[in-house]
Amino acid sequence: MKSNSKHLGLVTKKFNDFFSVDIKTQEKYGNSDKFLCKVRKSINFKDQLIYVGDQVFIENIDLKRKRALITSLKKRKNLLVRPSVANISNIYITFSVEEPELNLSQVNRFLISAESMGVEVSLVLTKCDLISDTRRFFLINKFEKWGYQAITLNLEKSDHFNNLIVELKKKECSIFMGPSGVGKTTLLNMIIPGLQNSTAPVSNKIKRGKNTTRNVELFSISNQSYIVDTPGFNMQPLNVDIRLLPSLYSEINKQLIDEKINCKFRNCLHLNDEGCNLNKSFERYSFYKDMIESSKSHYYQNQED
Ligand SMILES: Nc1nc2c(ncn2[C@@H]2O[C@H](COP(=O)(O)OP(=O)(O)O)[C@@H](O)[C@H]2O)c(=O)[nH]1
Ligand SMILES: [Mg+2]
Ligand SMILES: [Zn+2]
C-alpha cells in the first residue's frame, strides 16, 4: 500500500467525526489494516451521512499513524435504520423458543420487515435446551411451511452452533435481529471471540433500562465476512409498504409465480377483493391480513396529515 494512492475500505465503527475504516492489504492472505479517518473537508456528500457498513475510498494515507481521509462514498445497497447499518447481506431473525415464549405473530412481523430489505433472511431459534426434540421438530416443520429452514440452537450442543458459524463465514455482512432477551448477545459473544458484551436475564434487562447503549460496530469473522454488533438496541420490526406485503410471503409468491394463479386485478391485496383467486388456507394468512389492515390504517392516517 502506498501512501499517495486511493483505497477502497469498509467503515466498521463511527464516533463523532471519526470513522474506523478496514482496508484489505494483502487480499489473498486476508490481511487487513485499520485506519482512523475523517471526511476530507472539501467533500460534501450532498448531506449524506456515512454509516457503519458503508464502503468508502480513502486517500492521504499516513501509514505510520494509521490515519487517512475519506474522499468518496460508494453507492450503498441498503440501509437499515435503528440501528443504522449499511450494506447488510443477511438478516438472522432471532427468537427464543421459551423465556420469553415464542410469539408467532411477532416472529412473522420481524421476518416480513427483514424481507422488505431485499436481503437473505434466516430464522434462528435459541434456547432449544428448554424444549423437547418433539417440540423442536414441530417448530422446524411449522417454519418450513412459512418458507424458512429454522436454525435451532442449544448452548449445550456445539454442533448446531458450529454449523451456523461456518455459514456466517460465507456471508458478507450479517446481523442478528430480534426482541430483547432471546440470547442475541450470548450468541455474538460466542461468535466473536473477545467481545464479551454483557448479557442479562429478561427481568434484569427491563430494570436496567437503556443506559448500556454503545455504538454499532462491525466485527470481522473471516477474510470477507463481518457481523454487526448492536449492543443495547431493542430492535423493532419496520413498517412495510402495503404494496410490497404480498410479495414478501413465500406462500403467496409460490401460488402467484410457481402455480401461476391469477387474480382479476394485478395489485390485488388478496383480502375480500373481487376476483381474488388466492388460496388463503395457509397458517400465516391471518397475520398477513392483520398486517395489511394495520398498514392500511397507517397509510390513510399519513394521507390525512
Ligand atoms: N436456557 C438458555 N438460556 C439462554 C440461552 N442463550 C441465552 N440465554 C440466557 O438468556 C438471557 C438473555 O440473553 P441475552 O444474550 O442477554 O439476550 P439479548 O437481549 O437477545 O441480547 C441470559 O440470561 C442468557 O444467559 C440458551 O441457549 N439457553
Ligand atoms: Mg443483548
Ligand atoms: Zn388476490
Side-chain angles (χ1 to χ4, degrees):
M1 183 185 280
K2 288 202 190 91
S3 58
N4 59 356
S5 55
K6 184 170 173 172
H7 283 271
L8 183 63
L10 175 72
V11 176
T12 59
K13 208 169 159 179
K14 182 175 168 176
F15 31 102
N16 303 327
D17 293 341
F18 287 98
F19 300 88
S20 181
V21 178
D22 269 16
I23 306 290
K24 297 270 174 253
T25 44
Q26 286 175 291
E27 200 79 52
K28 61 181 167 182
Y29 303 115
N31 290 347
S32 69
D33 233 346
K34 280 190 189 308
F35 286 88
L36 184 63
C37 302
K38 275 192 141 184
V39 177
R40 180 179 276 172
K41 278 221 180 68
S42 58
I43 305 283
N44 177 358
F45 294 125
K46 292 187 191 111
D47 296 325
Q48 257 211 95
L49 295 172
I50 296 178
Y51 294 97
V52 167
D54 267 329
Q55 289 199 297
V56 292
F57 281 100
I58 63 166
E59 292 177 59
N60 281 50
I61 299 165
D62 181 337
L63 290 170
K64 248 198 201 132
R65 291 171 59 230
K66 300 272 185 226
R67 296 289 204 104
L69 289 178
I70 294 175
T71 56
S72 61
L73 169 66
K74 248 186 118 173
K75 189 174 178 336
R76 63 176 71 102
K77 282 184 252 168
N78 56 51
L79 179 66
L80 191 68
V81 284
R82 283 185 0 119
S84 301
V85 200
N87 299 321
I88 295 282
S89 66
N90 289 76
I91 298 180
Y92 287 84
I93 294 301
T94 311
F95 272 81
S96 56
V97 292
E98 286 292 343
E99 297 180 16
E101 145 185 18
L102 204 57
N103 174 331
L104 293 178
S105 153
Q106 196 186 23
V107 175
N108 181 58
R109 269 187 292 129
F110 269 90
L111 286 171
I112 295 302
S113 99
E115 293 288 358
S116 75
M117 296 279 299
V119 301
E120 202 182 320
V121 179
S122 311
L123 176 62
V124 176
L125 299 176
T126 60
K127 310 196 192 184
C128 289
D129 51 299
L130 301 177
I131 56 169
S132 66
D133 261 351
T134 315
R135 169 83 179 148
R136 190 168 67 90
F137 288 126
F138 169 82
L139 291 173
I140 290 176
N141 192 26
K142 171 190 288 295
F143 291 120
E144 205 169 299
K145 293 195 197 111
W146 290 23
Y148 300 91
Q149 293 227 290
I151 301 164
T152 57
L153 297 178
N154 173 345
L155 280 186
E156 289 149 27
K157 291 213 176 103
S158 57
D159 52 336
H160 293 176
F161 180 72
N162 290 336
N163 291 343
L164 174 61
I165 295 203
V166 170
E167 182 179 315
L168 291 170
K169 287 185 175 171
K170 292 183 197 150
K171 313 294 184 185
E172 273 171 69
C173 187
S174 307
I175 184 168
F176 290 91
M177 290 182 74
S180 187
V182 301
K184 299 182 299 293
T185 303
T186 307
L187 202 51
L188 276 179
N189 284 341
M190 290 173 76
I191 296 167
I192 308 167
L195 182 67
Q196 299 309 327
N197 277 340
S198 66
T199 61
V202 181
S203 55
N204 287 356
K205 197 150 283 179
I206 295 158
K207 282 184 221 143
R208 203 179 48 189
K210 287 182 183 167
N211 52 14
T212 52
T213 309
R214 228 183 55 216
N215 286 332
V216 175
E217 190 169 349
L218 295 189
F219 285 91
S220 166
I221 52 164
S222 77
N223 196 358
Q224 298 292 340
S225 303
Y226 288 84
I227 300 270
V228 185
D229 180 28
T230 55
F233 279 98
N234 191 7
M235 286 183 266
Q236 299 295 329
L238 318 163
N239 278 318
V240 183
D241 187 327
I242 191 167
R243 289 160 299 185
L244 267 183
L245 277 176
S247 68
L248 304 179
Y249 284 77
S250 77
E251 302 93 320
I252 297 180
N253 277 335
K254 219 189 282 164
Q255 292 192 48
L256 300 186
I257 296 165
D258 302 346
E259 297 165 26
K260 302 199 164 48
I261 301 251
N262 272 313
C263 297
K264 184 169 172 190
F265 299 104
R266 206 163 47 92
N267 56 355
C268 183
L269 287 177
H270 316 300
L271 297 180
N272 300 318
D273 310 45
E274 183 202 333
C276 178
N277 292 321
L278 190 84
N279 177 355
K280 301 173 178 70
S281 59
F282 56 93
E283 188 182 54
R284 284 201 294 174
Y285 184 70
S286 63
F287 295 150
Y288 167 78
K289 212 167 98 184
D290 290 348
M291 277 185 94
I292 292 274
E293 300 290 359
S294 70
S295 40
K296 250 186 186 165
S297 54
H298 224 87
Y299 182 75
Y300 292 120
Q301 252 166 35
N302 288 342
Q303 295 277 300
E304 282 161 21
D305 285 349

